[in-house]
């Protein structure tokens, strides 16, 4: 187990142009945006066995990350009408007390309306765990906010940016006649209630265009180009969340 490998397919390319500070936790990596005080992205390998542990939210609280300066605090979200939304879910890390604890660092959180955090975002987290990770043993996930270009709004005294949308891209390995193939699916969800999930599928290329990120860049270039240009939702079991 241990830290996510530096060459993991889950990791986007690092960038020096996004106020980026890389933080490596036990089972996920954060590109923390020091200007907006939310992640640029969070990436991890979701191993099915990691979802089967006994860790629980009992006596667990959100935590300041003392490894960075000016970490967001719990109180920054108080009375804001926004939830402290995990990017890497706690339930993906139930196998280990340290990994579970680290998922509650405020550097792993973004402001989300509860209609999203307790709705489609939660549904997508559960689909990753209970369907795709279970079916394939391991999947690669990267997610994060899509920053508004204009009319930026903030919460808290220290000005945490409120994203207008969120993305999640998932990569899986498929064994076809002894050969490994890769397939990806992408989602973009808004802060409003999503009624029709067939409108939320996006290619990785489209997500990259919206975020300026280079996702799954550790794949071979030819494979990366192929998996990022199209999404075949019909190949993914229960993609409608």
């Amino acid at each position: 187990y241990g830290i996510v490998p530096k060459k993991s397919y889950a990791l986007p390319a690092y960038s020096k142009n996004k106020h980026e500070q890389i933080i490596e936790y036990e089972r996920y990596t954060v590109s923390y945006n020091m200007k907006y005080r939310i992640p640029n992205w969070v990436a991890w390998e979701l191993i099915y066995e990691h979802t089967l542990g006994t860790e629980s939210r009992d006596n667990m609280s959100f935590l300041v990350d003392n490894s960075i300066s000016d970490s967001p605090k719990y109180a920054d979200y108080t009375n804001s009408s926004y939830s402290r939304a995990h990017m890497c879910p706690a339930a993906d890390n139930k196998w280990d007390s340290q990994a579970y604890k680290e998922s509650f660092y405020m550097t792993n959180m973004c402001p989300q309306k509860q209609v999203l955090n307790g709705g489609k975002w939660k549904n997508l987290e559960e689909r990753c765990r209970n369907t795709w990770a279970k079916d394939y043993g391991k999947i690669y996930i990267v997610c994060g906010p899509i920053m508004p270009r204009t009319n930026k709004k903030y919460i808290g005294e220290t000005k945490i940016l409120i994203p207008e949308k969120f993305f999640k891209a998932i990569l899986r390995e498929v064994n076809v006649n002894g050969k490994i193939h890769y397939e990806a699916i992408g989602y973009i969800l808004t802060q409003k209630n999503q009624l029709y999930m067939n409108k939320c599928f996006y290619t990785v290329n489209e997500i990259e265009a919206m975020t300026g990120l280079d996702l799954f860049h550790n794949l071979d270039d030819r494979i990366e180009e192929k998996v990022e240009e199209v999404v075949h939702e019909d190949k993914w079991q229960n993609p409608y969340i």
Side-chain angles (χ1 to χ4, degrees), residues 157-225:
E157 292 183 1
T158 49
K159 303 295 184 183
I160 297 172
L161 182 69
I162 301 171
E164 60 181 4
K165 299 176 183 178
F166 294 85
F167 75 90
K168 181 168 282 189
I170 303 130
L171 179 74
R172 67 181 183 181
E173 298 176 336
V174 184
N175 190 319
V176 180
N177 298 323
K179 294 184 178 181
I180 299 297
H181 294 258
Y182 294 89
E183 296 172 349
I185 191 170
Y187 293 85
I188 292 178
L189 304 177
T190 72
Q191 292 276 19
K192 300 178 181 179
N193 191 20
Q194 275 77 205
L195 296 178
Y196 304 105
M197 284 309 299
N198 61 333
K199 304 296 185 182
C200 296
F201 295 120
Y202 286 79
T203 68
V204 175
N205 282 342
E206 289 172 321
I207 292 174
E208 290 178 334
M210 293 184 192
T211 61
L213 300 173
D214 181 5
L215 306 181
F216 305 137
H217 82 115
N218 283 322
L219 285 170
D220 177 271
D221 288 343
R222 290 173 297 177
I223 297 174
E224 181 184 3
E225 181 179 351

Side-chain angles (χ1 to χ4, degrees), residues 17 19 27 54 71 78 85-86 102 114 144 196 209 211 233 239:
N17 299 320
H19 307 281
R27 281 308 306 173
T54 58
S71 168
T78 301
H86 286 74
E102 289 179 349
Q114 183 57 29
Y196 304 105
T211 61
E233 63 266 23

Side-chain angles (χ1 to χ4, degrees), residues 36-62:
Y36 294 135
R37 306 184 75 243
I38 55 176
N40 296 304
W41 52 260
V42 178
W44 67 103
E45 297 180 0
L46 175 52
I47 299 171
Y48 179 61
E49 286 80 4
H50 288 183
T51 71
L52 303 178
T54 58
E55 297 297 322
S56 73
R57 284 182 177 248
D58 295 343
N59 301 317
M60 181 59 66
S61 59
F62 293 91

Side-chain angles (χ1 to χ4, degrees), residues 45 64 66 83 100 116 137 145 164 207 219 231 241:
E45 297 180 0
V64 167
N66 291 320
S83 298
Y100 193 77
L116 174 60
E164 60 181 4
I207 292 174
L219 285 170
V231 55
I241 59 173

Side-chain angles (χ1 to χ4, degrees), residues 3-14 24 29 43 45 138 140 171 173 182 216-220:
I3 292 175
V4 177
K6 293 184 182 296
K7 284 294 185 180
S8 170
Y9 294 143
L11 292 173
Y14 296 167
E24 295 180 342
T29 300
E45 297 180 0
K138 177 172 70 174
Y140 305 93
L171 179 74
E173 298 176 336
Y182 294 89
F216 305 137
H217 82 115
N218 283 322
L219 285 170
D220 177 271

